[in-house]
Amino acid sequence: RDYLLSRLRAIPSLHCQAPEGAFYLFPSCSGIIGKQGNRDGRRIENSTDFAKYLLQDCGVAVIPGSAFEFDPNIRISYASSIEDLERACDRIQQFCDSLS
């Protein structure tokens, strides 16, 4: 949890609070909304768009917050190996850095 939390907090366009007791984080991607994706130049309008880009462009699966009526957040599980979390965080950061 602490590793994923620190990595996501280091991405300026994401905002993440520590959970009180869960196996996932629920970062806000409000800093991403309105930016253009690098693959096709479409604007990211909501958490569903962001989740689709992460899956299609980066191979990282997250759940859009809209599934929980909590848009513009995404849900990221940390019930995984540290190696998988490192790769996912690297990919998320690279993707967020590439947005215009």
Side-chain angles (χ1 to χ4, degrees):
R1 176 195 84 147
D2 293 337
Y3 173 79
L4 186 58
L5 187 61
S6 69
R7 287 292 306 268
L8 294 177
R9 284 181 171 171
I11 301 171
S13 51
L14 298 180
H15 307 284
C16 193
Q17 295 182 358
E20 292 187 21
F23 58 91
Y24 57 85
L25 299 179
F26 230 135
S28 170
C29 57
S30 61
I32 299 292
I33 304 304
K35 294 189 176 187
Q36 290 184 325
N38 59 358
R39 181 174 43 87
D40 59 10
R42 286 188 348 199
R43 283 175 40 106
I44 297 171
E45 301 289 342
N46 51 43
S47 63
T48 301
D49 290 346
F50 185 47
K52 284 180 184 179
Y53 269 108
L54 288 178
L55 183 59
Q56 294 170 352
D57 290 8
C58 307
V60 175
V62 300
I63 307 295
S66 57
F68 307 97
E69 297 183 16
F70 206 57
D71 208 23
N73 293 51
I74 56 172
R75 180 175 152 167
I76 303 175
S77 172
Y78 53 83
S80 190
S81 70
I82 192 68
E83 292 83 11
D84 286 343
L85 293 174
E86 287 171 347
R87 278 192 299 275
C89 288
D90 289 345
R91 292 174 183 181
I92 291 169
Q93 183 156 19
Q94 289 170 355
F95 178 76
C96 290
D97 291 344
S98 75
L99 298 174
S100 56

Coordinates of all heavy atoms in Angstrom, one line a residue:
R1 N 0.8 -1.2 0.0 CA 0.0 0.0 0.0 C 0.9 1.2 0.0 O 0.6 2.2 -0.8 CB -0.9 0.0 1.2 CG -1.8 1.3 1.3 CD -2.4 1.4 2.7 NE -1.4 2.0 3.6 CZ -1.7 2.8 4.5 NH1 -3.0 3.0 4.8 NH2 -0.8 3.3 5.3
D2 N 1.8 1.3 0.9 CA 2.7 2.5 1.0 C 3.5 2.8 -0.3 O 3.6 3.9 -0.7 CB 3.6 2.4 2.2 CG 2.8 2.4 3.5 OD1 1.7 2.9 3.5 OD2 3.4 1.9 4.5
Y3 N 3.9 1.7 -0.9 CA 4.7 1.9 -2.2 C 3.8 2.5 -3.2 O 4.2 3.5 -3.9 CB 5.3 0.5 -2.7 CG 5.9 0.7 -4.0 CD1 7.2 1.3 -4.1 CD2 5.3 0.4 -5.2 CE1 7.8 1.5 -5.4 CE2 5.8 0.6 -6.4 CZ 7.1 1.1 -6.5 OH 7.7 1.3 -7.7
L4 N 2.6 1.9 -3.5 CA 1.7 2.4 -4.5 C 1.3 3.8 -4.2 O 1.2 4.7 -5.0 CB 0.5 1.5 -4.6 CG -0.4 1.7 -5.7 CD1 0.3 1.7 -7.1 CD2 -1.6 0.8 -5.7
L5 N 1.0 4.1 -2.9 CA 0.6 5.4 -2.5 C 1.6 6.4 -2.8 O 1.4 7.5 -3.4 CB 0.2 5.4 -1.0 CG -0.4 6.7 -0.5 CD1 -1.7 7.0 -1.1 CD2 -0.6 6.5 1.1
S6 N 2.9 6.1 -2.5 CA 4.0 7.1 -2.7 C 4.2 7.3 -4.2 O 4.4 8.4 -4.7 CB 5.3 6.7 -2.0 OG 5.8 5.5 -2.6
R7 N 4.1 6.3 -5.0 CA 4.3 6.4 -6.5 C 3.2 7.2 -7.1 O 3.5 8.1 -7.9 CB 4.4 5.0 -7.1 CG 5.6 4.3 -6.9 CD 6.9 4.9 -7.6 NE 6.7 5.1 -9.0 CZ 7.1 4.3 -9.9 NH1 7.6 3.1 -9.6 NH2 6.9 4.6 -11.2
L8 N 1.9 7.0 -6.7 CA 0.8 7.7 -7.3 C 0.9 9.2 -6.9 O 0.5 10.1 -7.7 CB -0.5 7.1 -7.0 CG -0.7 5.7 -7.5 CD1 -2.1 5.1 -7.1 CD2 -0.7 5.7 -9.1
R9 N 1.3 9.4 -5.7 CA 1.4 10.8 -5.2 C 2.5 11.6 -5.9 O 2.4 12.8 -5.9 CB 1.6 10.8 -3.7 CG 0.3 10.5 -2.9 CD 0.6 10.6 -1.4 NE -0.6 10.5 -0.6 CZ -0.7 10.4 0.7 NH1 0.4 10.3 1.4 NH2 -1.9 10.3 1.3
A10 N 3.4 10.9 -6.5 CA 4.5 11.5 -7.2 C 4.1 12.0 -8.6 O 4.8 12.7 -9.3 CB 5.7 10.6 -7.3
I11 N 2.9 11.6 -9.0 CA 2.4 11.9 -10.4 C 1.5 13.2 -10.2 O 0.5 13.1 -9.5 CB 1.6 10.8 -11.0 CG1 2.5 9.5 -11.1 CG2 1.0 11.2 -12.3 CD1 1.7 8.3 -11.6
P12 N 2.0 14.3 -10.7 CA 1.3 15.6 -10.4 C -0.2 15.6 -10.8 O -1.0 16.3 -10.1 CB 2.1 16.6 -11.2 CG 3.4 16.0 -11.4 CD 3.1 14.5 -11.5
S13 N -0.6 14.9 -11.8 CA -2.0 15.0 -12.2 C -2.9 14.0 -11.5 O -4.1 14.0 -11.7 CB -2.1 14.7 -13.7 OG -1.4 13.6 -14.1
L14 N -2.4 13.2 -10.6 CA -3.2 12.3 -9.8 C -3.1 12.8 -8.3 O -2.1 13.3 -7.9 CB -2.7 10.9 -9.9 CG -2.7 10.2 -11.2 CD1 -2.2 8.8 -11.1 CD2 -4.1 10.2 -11.8
H15 N -4.2 12.6 -7.6 CA -4.3 12.9 -6.2 C -4.8 11.7 -5.4 O -5.9 11.2 -5.8 CB -5.2 14.1 -6.0 CG -4.8 15.3 -6.8 ND1 -3.7 16.1 -6.6 CD2 -5.3 15.8 -8.0 CE1 -3.6 17.0 -7.5 NE2 -4.5 16.8 -8.4
C16 N -4.1 11.3 -4.4 CA -4.5 10.0 -3.7 C -4.4 10.2 -2.2 O -3.4 10.6 -1.7 CB -3.6 8.9 -4.2 SG -4.1 7.3 -3.8
Q17 N -5.4 9.7 -1.6 CA -5.4 9.7 -0.1 C -5.2 8.3 0.4 O -5.5 7.3 -0.4 CB -6.7 10.2 0.5 CG -7.0 11.7 0.2 CD -8.3 12.2 0.8 OE1 -9.0 11.4 1.4 NE2 -8.5 13.4 0.6
A18 N -4.6 8.1 1.5 CA -4.4 6.8 2.1 C -5.7 6.2 2.5 O -6.6 6.8 3.2 CB -3.5 6.9 3.3
P19 N -5.9 4.9 2.2 CA -7.2 4.2 2.6 C -7.1 3.9 4.1 O -6.0 3.7 4.6 CB -7.2 3.0 1.7 CG -5.8 2.7 1.5 CD -5.1 4.0 1.4
E20 N -8.2 3.7 4.7 CA -8.3 3.4 6.1 C -8.2 1.9 6.3 O -7.9 1.4 7.4 CB -9.5 3.9 6.8 CG -9.5 5.4 6.8 CD -10.6 6.0 7.6 OE1 -11.2 5.3 8.4 OE2 -10.9 7.2 7.4
G21 N -8.5 1.1 5.3 CA -8.4 -0.3 5.4 C -9.0 -1.0 4.2 O -10.2 -1.4 4.2
A22 N -8.2 -1.2 3.2 CA -8.7 -1.9 2.0 C -7.5 -2.4 1.3 O -6.4 -2.3 1.7 CB -9.4 -0.8 1.1
F23 N -7.7 -3.1 0.2 CA -6.6 -3.6 -0.7 C -6.5 -2.8 -2.0 O -6.0 -3.3 -3.0 CB -6.8 -5.1 -0.9 CG -8.1 -5.4 -1.6 CD1 -8.2 -5.5 -3.0 CD2 -9.2 -5.7 -0.9 CE1 -9.3 -5.8 -3.6 CE2 -10.4 -6.0 -1.5 CZ -10.5 -6.0 -2.9
Y24 N -7.0 -1.6 -2.0 CA -7.0 -0.8 -3.2 C -6.9 0.7 -2.8 O -7.2 1.1 -1.7 CB -8.2 -1.0 -4.1 CG -9.5 -0.8 -3.3 CD1 -10.0 0.5 -3.3 CD2 -10.2 -1.8 -2.7 CE1 -11.2 0.8 -2.6 CE2 -11.4 -1.5 -2.0 CZ -11.9 -0.3 -2.0 OH -13.0 0.0 -1.3
L25 N -6.4 1.5 -3.8 CA -6.4 2.9 -3.7 C -7.4 3.5 -4.7 O -7.8 2.8 -5.7 CB -5.0 3.5 -4.0 CG -3.9 3.0 -3.1 CD1 -2.6 3.7 -3.6 CD2 -4.2 3.3 -1.7
F26 N -7.9 4.7 -4.4 CA -8.9 5.3 -5.2 C -8.5 6.7 -5.6 O -9.1 7.7 -5.2 CB -10.2 5.4 -4.4 CG -11.4 4.9 -5.0 CD1 -12.3 4.1 -4.4 CD2 -11.7 5.3 -6.3 CE1 -13.5 3.7 -5.0 CE2 -12.9 4.8 -7.0 CZ -13.7 4.0 -6.3
P27 N -7.4 6.9 -6.4 CA -6.9 8.2 -6.7 C -7.8 9.0 -7.6 O -8.5 8.4 -8.5 CB -5.5 7.9 -7.4 CG -5.7 6.5 -7.9 CD -6.6 5.8 -7.0
S28 N -7.8 10.3 -7.4 CA -8.6 11.1 -8.3 C -7.7 11.4 -9.6 O -6.5 11.7 -9.5 CB -8.9 12.5 -7.6 OG -9.4 13.4 -8.6
C29 N -8.4 11.3 -10.7 CA -7.7 11.6 -12.0 C -8.2 12.9 -12.5 O -8.2 13.2 -13.7 CB -7.8 10.5 -13.0 SG -9.4 10.0 -13.4
S30 N -8.7 13.8 -11.6 CA -9.3 15.1 -12.1 C -8.2 15.9 -12.9 O -8.6 16.7 -13.8 CB -9.8 15.9 -10.9 OG -8.8 16.2 -10.0
G31 N -7.0 15.8 -12.6 CA -5.9 16.5 -13.3 C -5.7 15.9 -14.7 O -4.9 16.5 -15.4
I32 N -6.3 14.8 -15.0 CA -6.1 14.2 -16.3 C -7.3 14.6 -17.2 O -7.1 14.7 -18.5 CB -6.1 12.7 -16.2 CG1 -5.0 12.2 -15.3 CG2 -6.2 12.0 -17.5 CD1 -3.6 12.3 -15.9
I33 N -8.4 14.9 -16.6 CA -9.6 15.2 -17.4 C -9.4 16.4 -18.3 O -8.9 17.5 -17.8 CB -10.8 15.5 -16.5 CG1 -11.1 14.3 -15.6 CG2 -12.1 15.8 -17.3 CD1 -11.3 12.9 -16.2
G34 N -9.7 16.3 -19.5 CA -9.6 17.4 -20.5 C -8.3 17.3 -21.3 O -8.1 18.0 -22.3
K35 N -7.4 16.4 -20.9 CA -6.1 16.3 -21.6 C -6.3 15.3 -22.8 O -7.3 14.6 -22.8 CB -5.0 15.8 -20.7 CG -4.6 16.8 -19.6 CD -3.4 16.4 -18.9 CE -3.0 17.5 -17.9 NZ -1.8 17.2 -17.3
Q36 N -5.4 15.4 -23.7 CA -5.5 14.5 -24.9 C -4.6 13.3 -24.8 O -3.4 13.4 -24.3 CB -5.1 15.3 -26.2 CG -6.1 16.3 -26.5 CD -5.8 17.0 -27.8 OE1 -4.6 17.2 -28.1 NE2 -6.8 17.4 -28.6
G37 N -5.1 12.2 -25.1 CA -4.4 10.9 -25.1 C -3.4 10.9 -26.2 O -3.6 11.6 -27.3
N38 N -2.3 10.2 -26.1 CA -1.2 10.2 -27.1 C -1.4 9.3 -28.2 O -0.8 9.4 -29.3 CB 0.1 10.0 -26.4 CG 0.2 8.6 -25.7 OD1 -0.8 7.9 -25.6 ND2 1.3 8.3 -25.1
R39 N -2.3 8.3 -28.1 CA -2.5 7.3 -29.1 C -3.3 7.9 -30.3 O -3.0 7.8 -31.4 CB -3.2 6.1 -28.5 CG -3.4 5.0 -29.6 CD -4.0 3.7 -28.9 NE -5.0 4.0 -28.0 CZ -6.3 4.1 -28.2 NH1 -6.7 4.0 -29.5 NH2 -7.2 4.3 -27.3
D40 N -4.5 8.5 -29.9 CA -5.4 9.0 -31.0 C -5.8 10.4 -30.9 O -6.5 11.0 -31.7 CB -6.6 8.1 -31.1 CG -7.4 8.1 -29.8 OD1 -7.1 8.9 -28.9 OD2 -8.3 7.2 -29.7
G41 N -5.2 11.1 -29.9 CA -5.5 12.5 -29.7 C -6.8 12.9 -29.1 O -7.2 14.0 -29.0
R42 N -7.7 11.9 -28.8 CA -9.0 12.2 -28.2 C -8.8 12.7 -26.8 O -7.9 12.3 -26.0 CB -9.8 10.9 -28.1 CG -10.4 10.5 -29.5 CD -11.3 9.4 -29.3 NE -11.3 8.8 -28.0 CZ -11.7 7.6 -27.7 NH1 -12.3 6.9 -28.5 NH2 -11.7 7.2 -26.4
R43 N -9.7 13.6 -26.4 CA -9.7 14.1 -25.0 C -10.2 13.1 -24.0 O -11.1 12.3 -24.3 CB -10.7 15.3 -24.9 CG -10.1 16.6 -25.5 CD -11.1 17.7 -25.5 NE -11.9 17.8 -24.3 CZ -11.7 18.7 -23.4 NH1 -10.8 19.6 -23.5 NH2 -12.5 18.7 -22.3
I44 N -9.6 13.1 -22.9 CA -10.0 12.2 -21.8 C -11.1 13.0 -21.0 O -10.8 14.0 -20.4 CB -8.8 11.8 -20.9 CG1 -7.8 11.1 -21.7 CG2 -9.3 11.1 -19.6 CD1 -6.5 10.8 -20.9
E45 N -12.3 12.4 -21.1 CA -13.5 13.1 -20.5 C -13.9 12.7 -19.1 O -14.5 13.4 -18.4 CB -14.7 13.0 -21.4 CG -14.5 13.5 -22.8 CD -14.4 15.0 -22.9 OE1 -14.9 15.7 -22.0 OE2 -13.9 15.5 -24.0
N46 N -13.4 11.5 -18.7 CA -13.9 10.9 -17.4 C -13.0 9.7 -17.0 O -12.1 9.4 -17.8 CB -15.4 10.5 -17.5 CG -15.6 9.6 -18.7 OD1 -14.9 8.7 -19.0 ND2 -16.7 9.9 -19.4
S47 N -13.3 9.1 -15.9 CA -12.5 8.0 -15.4 C -12.5 6.8 -16.4 O -11.6 6.0 -16.5 CB -12.9 7.6 -14.0 OG -14.2 7.1 -14.0
T48 N -13.7 6.6 -17.0 CA -13.8 5.5 -18.0 C -12.8 5.7 -19.1 O -12.1 4.7 -19.5 CB -15.2 5.4 -18.5 OG1 -16.1 5.2 -17.4 CG2 -15.3 4.2 -19.5
D49 N -12.7 6.9 -19.7 CA -11.7 7.2 -20.8 C -10.3 6.9 -20.3 O -9.5 6.3 -21.0 CB -11.8 8.6 -21.2 CG -13.1 8.9 -22.0 OD1 -13.8 8.0 -22.4 OD2 -13.4 10.1 -22.2
F50 N -10.0 7.4 -19.1 CA -8.7 7.2 -18.5 C -8.3 5.7 -18.4 O -7.3 5.3 -18.8 CB -8.5 8.0 -17.2 CG -7.2 8.0 -16.6 CD1 -6.0 8.2 -17.4 CD2 -7.0 7.7 -15.3 CE1 -4.7 8.3 -16.8 CE2 -5.7 7.7 -14.7 CZ -4.6 8.0 -15.5
A51 N -9.3 5.0 -17.8 CA -9.1 3.5 -17.6 C -8.9 2.8 -18.9 O -8.0 1.9 -19.1 CB -10.3 2.9 -16.9
K52 N -9.6 3.2 -20.0 CA -9.5 2.6 -21.3 C -8.1 2.9 -21.9 O -7.4 2.0 -22.4 CB -10.5 3.1 -22.3 CG -11.9 2.5 -22.0 CD -12.9 3.1 -23.0 CE -14.3 2.6 -22.8 NZ -15.3 3.2 -23.7
Y53 N -7.6 4.1 -21.8 CA -6.3 4.4 -22.3 C -5.2 3.6 -21.5 O -4.3 3.1 -22.1 CB -6.0 5.9 -22.1 CG -6.4 6.8 -23.3 CD1 -7.5 7.6 -23.2 CD2 -5.7 6.7 -24.5 CE1 -7.9 8.4 -24.3 CE2 -6.0 7.5 -25.6 CZ -7.1 8.3 -25.5 OH -7.5 9.1 -26.6
L54 N -5.4 3.6 -20.2 CA -4.4 2.8 -19.4 C -4.3 1.4 -19.9 O -3.2 0.8 -20.0 CB -4.6 2.9 -17.9 CG -4.3 4.2 -17.3 CD1 -4.7 4.2 -15.8 CD2 -2.9 4.6 -17.4
L55 N -5.5 0.8 -20.1 CA -5.5 -0.6 -20.6 C -5.0 -0.8 -22.0 O -4.1 -1.6 -22.2 CB -6.9 -1.2 -20.5 CG -7.1 -2.6 -20.8 CD1 -6.2 -3.5 -19.9 CD2 -8.6 -3.0 -20.7
Q56 N -5.5 0.0 -22.9 CA -5.1 -0.1 -24.3 C -3.7 0.3 -24.6 O -3.0 -0.3 -25.4 CB -6.1 0.7 -25.2 CG -7.5 0.1 -25.2 CD -8.5 1.0 -25.8 OE1 -8.2 2.2 -26.2 NE2 -9.7 0.5 -26.0
D57 N -3.2 1.4 -24.0 CA -1.9 2.0 -24.3 C -0.8 1.4 -23.4 O 0.4 1.4 -23.8 CB -1.9 3.5 -24.2 CG -2.7 4.1 -25.3 OD1 -3.4 3.4 -26.1 OD2 -2.7 5.4 -25.5
C58 N -1.2 1.0 -22.2 CA -0.1 0.7 -21.2 C -0.2 -0.7 -20.7 O 0.7 -1.2 -20.0 CB -0.2 1.7 -20.0 SG -0.2 3.4 -20.4
G59 N -1.3 -1.4 -20.9 CA -1.5 -2.8 -20.4 C -1.7 -2.8 -18.9 O -1.4 -3.8 -18.2
V60 N -2.2 -1.7 -18.4 CA -2.5 -1.6 -16.9 C -4.0 -1.5 -16.7 O -4.7 -0.7 -17.3 CB -1.9 -0.3 -16.3 CG1 -2.3 -0.2 -14.9 CG2 -0.4 -0.3 -16.5
A61 N -4.5 -2.5 -16.0 CA -6.0 -2.6 -15.7 C -6.3 -1.9 -14.4 O -5.8 -2.2 -13.4 CB -6.4 -4.0 -15.7
V62 N -7.2 -0.9 -14.5 CA -7.8 -0.2 -13.3 C -9.3 -0.2 -13.5 O -9.8 -0.4 -14.6 CB -7.3 1.2 -13.2 CG1 -5.8 1.2 -13.0 CG2 -7.7 2.1 -14.3
I63 N -10.1 0.1 -12.5 CA -11.5 0.2 -12.6 C -11.9 1.6 -12.6 O -11.5 2.4 -11.7 CB -12.2 -0.5 -11.4 CG1 -11.7 -2.0 -11.2 CG2 -13.7 -0.5 -11.5 CD1 -12.0 -2.9 -12.3
P64 N -12.7 2.1 -13.5 CA -13.1 3.5 -13.5 C -14.0 3.8 -12.3 O -14.8 2.9 -11.9 CB -13.9 3.6 -14.8 CG -14.0 2.3 -15.5 CD -13.2 1.3 -14.7
G65 N -13.8 4.9 -11.7 CA -14.7 5.3 -10.5 C -16.1 5.4 -10.8 O -17.0 5.3 -10.0
S66 N -16.5 5.6 -12.1 CA -17.9 5.7 -12.5 C -18.6 4.4 -12.2 O -19.8 4.5 -12.0 CB -18.0 6.1 -14.0 OG -17.3 5.1 -14.8
A67 N -17.9 3.3 -12.1 CA -18.6 2.0 -11.7 C -19.1 2.1 -10.3 O -19.9 1.3 -9.9 CB -17.6 0.9 -11.9
F68 N -18.5 3.0 -9.5 CA -18.9 3.2 -8.1 C -19.6 4.5 -7.8 O -19.7 4.9 -6.7 CB -17.7 3.1 -7.2 CG -16.9 1.8 -7.4 CD1 -15.8 1.9 -8.2 CD2 -17.2 0.6 -6.8 CE1 -15.0 0.7 -8.5 CE2 -16.5 -0.5 -7.0 CZ -15.4 -0.5 -7.9
E69 N -20.0 5.2 -9.0 CA -20.5 6.5 -8.9 C -19.6 7.5 -8.2 O -20.0 8.3 -7.4 CB -21.9 6.5 -8.2 CG -22.9 5.7 -9.0 CD -24.3 5.8 -8.4 OE1 -24.6 6.6 -7.6 OE2 -25.1 4.9 -8.8
F70 N -18.3 7.3 -8.5 CA -17.2 8.1 -7.9 C -16.2 8.6 -9.0 O -15.1 8.4 -8.9 CB -16.5 7.3 -6.8 CG -15.9 8.1 -5.7 CD1 -16.6 8.9 -5.0 CD2 -14.6 7.9 -5.5 CE1 -16.1 9.7 -3.9 CE2 -14.0 8.6 -4.4 CZ -14.7 9.5 -3.7
D71 N -16.8 9.3 -9.9 CA -16.0 9.8 -11.0 C -15.5 11.2 -10.6 O -16.2 11.9 -9.9 CB -16.9 10.0 -12.3 CG -16.1 9.9 -13.6 OD1 -15.1 9.3 -13.6 OD2 -16.7 10.4 -14.6
P72 N -14.3 11.6 -10.8 CA -13.3 11.1 -11.7 C -12.2 10.3 -11.1 O -11.0 10.5 -11.4 CB -12.7 12.4 -12.4 CG -12.7 13.3 -11.2 CD -13.9 13.0 -10.4
N73 N -12.5 9.4 -10.2 CA -11.5 8.6 -9.6 C -11.3 7.2 -10.3 O -12.2 6.9 -11.1 CB -11.8 8.3 -8.1 CG -11.8 9.5 -7.3 OD1 -12.3 10.6 -7.6 ND2 -11.0 9.5 -6.2
I74 N -10.2 6.5 -10.1 CA -10.0 5.2 -10.5 C -9.7 4.3 -9.3 O -9.2 4.8 -8.3 CB -8.9 5.1 -11.6 CG1 -7.6 5.7 -11.1 CG2 -9.4 5.7 -12.9 CD1 -6.4 5.5 -12.0
R75 N -10.0 3.1 -9.5 CA -9.6 2.1 -8.4 C -8.5 1.2 -8.8 O -8.5 0.6 -9.9 CB -10.9 1.3 -8.0 CG -10.6 0.3 -6.9 CD -11.9 -0.4 -6.6 NE -11.6 -1.7 -6.1 CZ -12.5 -2.5 -5.4 NH1 -13.7 -2.1 -5.3 NH2 -12.1 -3.7 -5.0
I76 N -7.4 1.2 -8.0 CA -6.3 0.4 -8.3 C -6.0 -0.5 -7.1 O -5.8 -0.1 -6.0 CB -5.0 1.3 -8.5 CG1 -5.2 2.3 -9.6 CG2 -3.8 0.4 -8.8 CD1 -4.1 3.3 -9.8
S77 N -6.0 -1.8 -7.4 CA -5.7 -2.8 -6.4 C -4.2 -2.9 -6.1 O -3.4 -2.9 -7.1 CB -6.2 -4.2 -6.8 OG -5.8 -5.2 -5.9
Y78 N -3.8 -3.1 -4.9 CA -2.4 -3.3 -4.6 C -2.2 -4.8 -4.1 O -1.2 -5.1 -3.5 CB -1.8 -2.3 -3.7 CG -2.5 -2.0 -2.4 CD1 -2.3 -2.9 -1.3 CD2 -3.4 -0.9 -2.2 CE1 -3.0 -2.6 -0.1 CE2 -4.0 -0.7 -1.0 CZ -3.8 -1.5 0.0 OH -4.5 -1.3 1.2
A79 N -3.1 -5.6 -4.4 CA -3.0 -7.0 -4.0 C -2.2 -7.8 -5.1 O -2.8 -8.6 -5.9 CB -4.4 -7.7 -3.8
S80 N -1.0 -7.4 -5.2 CA -0.1 -7.9 -6.3 C 1.3 -7.9 -5.8 O 1.6 -7.3 -4.8 CB -0.3 -7.0 -7.6 OG 0.3 -7.6 -8.7
S81 N 2.2 -8.4 -6.6 CA 3.6 -8.4 -6.3 C 4.2 -7.0 -6.4 O 3.7 -6.2 -7.2 CB 4.4 -9.4 -7.1 OG 4.5 -8.9 -8.5
I82 N 5.2 -6.7 -5.7 CA 5.9 -5.4 -5.8 C 6.4 -5.2 -7.2 O 6.4 -4.0 -7.7 CB 7.0 -5.2 -4.7 CG1 7.4 -3.7 -4.6 CG2 8.1 -6.1 -5.0 CD1 6.4 -2.8 -4.1
E83 N 6.9 -6.2 -7.9 CA 7.4 -6.1 -9.2 C 6.3 -5.7 -10.2 O 6.5 -4.8 -11.0 CB 8.0 -7.4 -9.7 CG 9.3 -7.8 -9.0 CD 9.0 -8.5 -7.6 OE1 7.8 -8.9 -7.3 OE2 10.0 -8.6 -6.9
D84 N 5.1 -6.3 -10.0 CA 4.0 -5.9 -10.9 C 3.5 -4.4 -10.6 O 3.2 -3.7 -11.5 CB 2.8 -6.8 -10.7 CG 3.0 -8.2 -11.3 OD1 3.9 -8.3 -12.2 OD2 2.2 -9.1 -11.0
L85 N 3.5 -4.0 -9.3 CA 3.2 -2.7 -9.0 C 4.2 -1.7 -9.5 O 3.8 -0.6 -10.0 CB 3.1 -2.5 -7.4 CG 1.9 -3.3 -6.8 CD1 2.0 -3.2 -5.3 CD2 0.6 -2.8 -7.3
E86 N 5.5 -2.0 -9.5 CA 6.5 -1.2 -10.0 C 6.3 -0.9 -11.5 O 6.3 0.2 -12.0 CB 7.9 -1.7 -9.8 CG 8.3 -1.7 -8.3 CD 9.6 -2.4 -8.1 OE1 10.1 -3.2 -8.9 OE2 10.2 -2.2 -7.0
R87 N 6.1 -2.0 -12.2 CA 5.8 -1.9 -13.7 C 4.6 -1.1 -14.0 O 4.6 -0.2 -14.9 CB 5.7 -3.3 -14.3 CG 7.0 -4.0 -14.6 CD 6.8 -5.2 -15.5 NE 6.0 -6.2 -14.9 CZ 6.5 -7.1 -14.0 NH1 7.8 -7.2 -13.7 NH2 5.7 -8.0 -13.5
A88 N 3.5 -1.3 -13.2 CA 2.3 -0.6 -13.5 C 2.5 0.9 -13.2 O 2.0 1.8 -14.0 CB 1.2 -1.2 -12.6
C89 N 3.2 1.2 -12.1 CA 3.4 2.6 -11.7 C 4.3 3.3 -12.8 O 4.0 4.5 -13.1 CB 4.0 2.7 -10.4 SG 2.8 2.4 -9.0
D90 N 5.3 2.6 -13.3 CA 6.1 3.2 -14.3 C 5.3 3.5 -15.5 O 5.4 4.6 -16.1 CB 7.3 2.2 -14.7 CG 8.3 2.1 -13.6 OD1 8.4 2.9 -12.7 OD2 9.1 1.1 -13.7
R91 N 4.4 2.6 -15.9 CA 3.6 2.8 -17.1 C 2.6 3.9 -16.9 O 2.4 4.7 -17.8 CB 2.9 1.5 -17.5 CG 3.9 0.4 -18.0 CD 3.2 -0.9 -18.2 NE 4.1 -1.9 -18.6 CZ 3.7 -3.2 -18.8 NH1 2.5 -3.5 -18.7 NH2 4.7 -4.1 -19.2
I92 N 2.0 4.0 -15.8 CA 1.0 5.0 -15.5 C 1.7 6.4 -15.5 O 1.2 7.3 -16.1 CB 0.3 4.8 -14.1 CG1 -0.6 3.6 -14.2 CG2 -0.5 6.0 -13.7 CD1 -1.2 3.1 -12.9
Q93 N 2.9 6.5 -14.9 CA 3.6 7.7 -14.9 C 4.0 8.2 -16.3 O 3.8 9.3 -16.6 CB 4.8 7.7 -13.9 CG 5.5 9.0 -13.9 CD 6.3 9.1 -12.6 OE1 6.6 8.2 -11.9 NE2 6.6 10.4 -12.3
Q94 N 4.5 7.2 -17.0 CA 4.9 7.6 -18.4 C 3.7 8.1 -19.2 O 3.8 9.0 -20.0 CB 5.6 6.4 -19.1 CG 6.9 6.1 -18.6 CD 7.5 4.7 -19.1 OE1 6.8 4.0 -19.8 NE2 8.7 4.4 -18.7
F95 N 2.6 7.4 -19.1 CA 1.4 7.8 -19.8 C 0.9 9.2 -19.4 O 0.7 10.0 -20.2 CB 0.3 6.8 -19.6 CG -1.0 7.2 -20.3 CD1 -1.1 7.0 -21.7 CD2 -2.1 7.7 -19.6 CE1 -2.3 7.4 -22.3 CE2 -3.2 8.1 -20.2 CZ -3.3 7.9 -21.6
C96 N 0.9 9.4 -18.1 CA 0.4 10.7 -17.6 C 1.4 11.8 -18.1 O 0.9 12.9 -18.4 CB 0.3 10.7 -16.1 SG -1.1 9.7 -15.5
D97 N 2.7 11.6 -18.1 CA 3.6 12.5 -18.5 C 3.5 12.9 -20.0 O 3.9 13.9 -20.4 CB 5.1 12.1 -18.2 CG 5.4 12.0 -16.7 OD1 4.7 12.7 -15.9 OD2 6.4 11.4 -16.4
S98 N 3.0 11.9 -20.8 CA 2.9 12.1 -22.2 C 1.6 12.9 -22.7 O 1.6 13.3 -23.8 CB 2.9 10.7 -22.9 OG 1.6 10.1 -22.7
L99 N 0.7 13.1 -21.8 CA -0.5 13.8 -22.1 C -0.3 15.3 -22.4 O 0.5 15.9 -21.8 CB -1.6 13.6 -21.0 CG -2.0 12.2 -20.7 CD1 -2.9 12.1 -19.5 CD2 -2.7 11.5 -21.9
S100 N -1.1 15.8 -23.3 CA -1.0 17.2 -23.6 C -2.3 17.9 -23.4 O -3.4 17.3 -23.2 CB -0.6 17.4 -25.0 OG -1.5 16.7 -25.9

